[in-house]
Amino acid sequence: MSYIASIHPPSSIRHALKIRLLDSNEESLVVAKANRLEIYALVHDGVTQPHLVLSHARAVYGKITMLERLRFEGESTEHLFVGTDRYMYFTLCWDHDSKQLRTYKKYVDQADKTSRDSLTQEKCLIDPTGQYMALQIFDGTVTILPMISKGKKKVPSQNLDIGEPVPTRIAEFFLRSSAFLYCQDESEQSPTMAILYEDNDCNPHVSYKILRYSSGGPGEPSSAALETAGTQDELELGASHVIPVPAPAHGLFVLAETSISYFPPMNGPSLVEPLREPAIFVAWAQVDTQRWLLADDYGKLFFLMLIFEDEKVKGWKLDHLGNVSRASALVYLDSGIVFVGSHQGDSQLVQIQDDGQLQIVQNLANVAPILDFTIMDMGNRSGEGQSNEYSSGQARIVTGSGAFQDGSLRSMRSGVGMEDLGSIESMENISRLFHLKSTDVTIKADILVAAFPRDTRVFQFFPNRPPDETIEEKHELGQLSLAEETIYIANLVGNRLLQVTPTKAQILDSVNGAAIAQWSPQDKRTITVASANSDHLMVSTGASEATSLDIKQNLRVITARDFSQDGQISCLDVPGRVRDIGIAGFWHSSAVAILNIGTLKTIHRVIMSEDPVTVPRSLVLTQLLAREPPTLLVALANGEVVTFSYDVKSRALRDRKAILLGTQAATFKILPGLGGLDKIFAICEHSSLIYGSENRIVYSAVTAENLSCVCSFDSEAYPGSIAAATSTDLRFALLDAERTTHVQTLQVNETVRRVAYSTNLKAFGMGTIQRVLRGNEEVMKSSFRLCDEVMFKQLCEFALEDDELVESCIRADLRDGTGVLVERFVVGTAHLNETKHDIARGRILVFGVTRTRTLRLDVDHTVKGACRALGVIDGNIVAALVKTVVIYGLNGPSLSKLASYRTSTAPIALSITGSQIAVADLMKSVSIVTYGRPTSAGGSYSLVEVARHFATGWSTAVASVADHTWLESDSDGNLIVLTQNVAGMTEDDRRRLEVTGELRLGEMVNKIQAVDVDASPNAVVVPKAFLGTVDGSMYLFGNIHPSKQNFLMNLQQAIASRIQSLGDVPFNTYRAFKNSVREGLEPNRFVDADMIENFLDCDAAMQKEICQSTGEMVDVKEVRAMVEALRRIH
């Protein structure tokens, strides 16, 4: 059974509009990202640059294909019309009480499902008078929906409705564009629609259709017809868009590649003017009654304006404003501010300046479409086995994203980000960091103390000084001990400081630096561990002895105790929130003890592990969750972090939970949070931020690496920041409040078609495609590049031949002629113009990398078909050519053909595991081929088909996810799990791949990359693969432990039956398999992480009800802990 979880949400924007949805006096921007609706507010206060702020986001059960705003009489706000890819359409309004989107009207389209889906984009049109809505979903059919007023009622929203859909036939099939025209006569009740279509000879025409609608009588159905009232026939072949023109001009524009035509109302004389340069227009937005914004395929933004003379249209003027991302949606917001929504580049907020120039004021990162990706590491760069509890935040994924001028290389990592603000160089081997205030009246920290193994350095910050004088190192600060390591230092009330070093503890006057009190351990013992709050100090001396001191009485010794029976004290904590206790961890017994701070007697004791090596190394008691008891966190030597709930009344530890953060012990540091809650920075090889969210503890990986210690440093110089030390320097950085996906971008400005990564070379191999114009002719150029992994700097480039494109690229360990494995980059290509290359239609290129990090072409091998995919098996190259899969051996400067396998149509992807090769066919799903080596001298290699999925399926990717099990994706956005029944009774049973799971993802997957994670034996889900989609989403696929399969399926159904979706779309329908051949009723043996995690958002009563309805005797706390663990893996 399978588990699918989203790592990175979709970022491609195909639909956007401006609407008064949240407030009648304020317009919002609504964008659609695959199945997500996001609502943004425009902040334009004149003080800061205009920018968009996310106001609300909500998932929809279905990929959004339509967005339109509806205006109803009597409503102060507008409604949002949404259409999905499963022909489900509904209207949404804003509920001001719950501050949520609410379904106002839902229905399923009634058009004939035997009709052919529209070959162009589905479209929704609103009549300018607000009387009718037209849906274009099927070829030859337009569905009409009337806007109905139910009469005068007290509640305005009850007056509004949308009538039943009425399909009407039209003769035109391939529609390029369409629009309702503005009426010249306001009393006109029959609106006119202009349809731009092409005939059987691909010639474009405009047809004017008058809508005749009859509501019908009682018991009679409504009827609608679109009557042809005229046509425009002599149009340019490249005509692509019609734009309705409002009063006073009326009529419409027709945009073409070399001209723009204006047609007055109905069949008046047209006005056609050529463009200065050809353009392929892709989007437009209206500014006012005579001005429009146009965007073309090359990212150019134009300003179109009608020119009047004597109140008649004389012509038009087109000005080039500048370049932006290739637009999928254009929205003019206000005051020269334009939103550019893009599918293949970053979406942008653009300001049109008074001089007509463009200024990009905000970028919304977009990684779509993900054409290819590679995994740089799984959170472990040292090469050791992955033994910690897996989280996708530990993986660094590099994607080839975007297309043409918007193409880029993106590094994605999910976690808590650190934004560097400044640094102090040459600060090696910092062991501890502390912040101080110089006096009690100082509001923010202005002193940073860096402790080293043998000394201490102090830096004071002066924000009012010149930039090069803001930081001053203090070589002495009163009687502060700087000649030895500082174990602990903090401010005390009354302008005092407490410092603890290995030899003494002292209280100093923070103003003049004079010593107020001092204490040193007897017999020259060394202080090894110390912790304090404002009242008490507790130190460990002589390995197993602990001493409690009263700070308010100038370090008077309260008591001391020897813990020889437990062994040496490994860690201490004197919590600031619970005043009467101290907490100690011990080496020998692996115990944690709650101690009375006045007597050091043990109140409560817990053995952390029976393994004497697994000892507590760091601990802290703090408040992570609101309205919950304090939480004790204990870091063990094996990398495990254990949490307890501390009962304030009984002073006992309860509700033990554990998580494995890494392979080494973490060190905790408290950071202040919001609302009186704290956050914990856990420093280890996979540093994490531990914080409370939605009444649960969240562990999020921090994107920074190689940290040795941190402390909060909210100063005037760096407000709200932290100080973080690495092995070489000291940094100041802003820490994100919670986990997000962080994307670093290398703008390539070419399509990154394929990407491969070499760990040994610390470099990427990229196959890129560039689009250029030569004399108004579009020319494609392709190359293979070597880039450095750190700076993303290009090291070398190999240009391909004219009209040759990169199709595939891998890093491989190949056997050379002597049988030795050598690391190489292998590139597969294809020729665009096959008529020029009757024999050589593609090439396989093998590159080596020299010591100077340049590319060396070792092999140039021509093939008779395009090389769509590559792989490696037994040190040999596996190439997917047209209708053939071929095994090639590297033989010096050439490749020798070892074996081949004939496919059904065209192999599109390969997945190699051991001696098995899974071949994803373009039309015929997946077949499994076994590779065989020669069994005797002079024998031959072989490729033999052992199993096949006997079904039609337009495959896009495949990967092995278990023994004899493969995950396949298709062009309809479905995921299919295929299993070979190797224990079948008959040969036919063993040859047939059985479908053991299927789910509709709703996004087409371009790449599936299998991963090997050494998960713990008790893991509920074991990650098996990453998936990258055309909409910019990244998903994690995993296998569910057999003991949890039934429960998770029942839990999913129980939650789905209680969660109300937008449009009331059933969850089973949303996730059910669907292609052009068949349509399922529900997902088959798949668990959706987004649905399961809704359990955490339910109240206690609902959680209990859900657990009861699963049919199993389970505890709510256990289920909650399980879901929290599942959430952590992605």
Side-chain angles (χ1 to χ4, degrees), residues 121-181:
Q121 186 180 20
E122 296 180 9
K123 200 165 185 180
C124 171
L125 304 175
I126 303 293
D127 164 30
T129 65
Q131 298 181 76
Y132 302 100
M133 179 192 302
L135 304 182
Q136 296 172 1
I137 308 161
F138 304 101
D139 275 346
T141 302
V142 177
T143 303
I144 305 299
L145 296 94
M147 309 289 195
I148 299 173
S149 176
K150 293 184 178 179
K152 297 181 179 179
K153 294 187 178 182
K154 293 182 180 180
V155 182
S157 62
Q158 294 180 355
N159 298 337
L160 317 174
D161 204 354
I162 298 177
E164 289 298 316
V166 181
T168 179
R169 296 286 183 179
I170 56 175
E172 297 79 11
F173 273 80
F174 193 90
L175 273 58
R176 296 187 181 182
S177 181
S178 58
F180 275 111
L181 301 183

Side-chain angles (χ1 to χ4, degrees), residues 1025-1087:
F1026 287 117
L1027 294 75
T1029 76
V1030 295
D1031 289 289
S1033 300
M1034 289 294 301
Y1035 289 90
L1036 178 70
F1037 173 91
N1039 289 334
I1040 302 174
H1041 194 280
S1043 64
K1044 301 296 182 182
Q1045 292 178 357
N1046 288 337
F1047 174 73
L1048 285 179
M1049 285 295 294
N1050 293 336
L1051 181 65
Q1052 177 174 258
Q1053 290 301 319
I1055 297 172
S1057 64
R1058 290 164 174 81
I1059 298 294
Q1060 188 172 19
S1061 66
L1062 292 179
D1064 296 336
V1065 179
F1067 171 77
N1068 284 343
T1069 303
Y1070 162 52
R1071 285 304 192 191
F1073 179 93
K1074 179 181 182 294
N1075 63 12
S1076 58
V1077 178
R1078 68 180 180 90
E1079 185 171 347
L1081 299 177
E1082 60 182 4
N1084 178 20
R1085 293 177 58 80
F1086 253 97
V1087 173

Side-chain angles (χ1 to χ4, degrees), residues 332-348:
Y332 182 79
L333 297 175
D334 188 21
S335 304
I337 302 173
V338 183
F339 176 74
V340 181
S342 180
H343 167 65
Q344 65 184 44
D346 288 344
S347 296
Q348 298 167 330

Side-chain angles (χ1 to χ4, degrees), residues 671-692:
L671 302 179
L674 299 176
L677 302 178
D678 292 327
K679 298 179 179 181
I680 305 298
F681 201 111
I683 305 159
C684 57
E685 75 268 33
H686 303 304
S687 295
S688 299
L689 187 69
I690 306 172
Y691 59 95

Side-chain angles (χ1 to χ4, degrees), residues 576-594:
R577 295 179 180 272
V578 184
R579 295 287 180 174
D580 58 344
I581 66 168
I583 309 172
F586 300 95
W587 282 94
H588 179 70
S589 62
S590 298
V592 168
I594 306 295

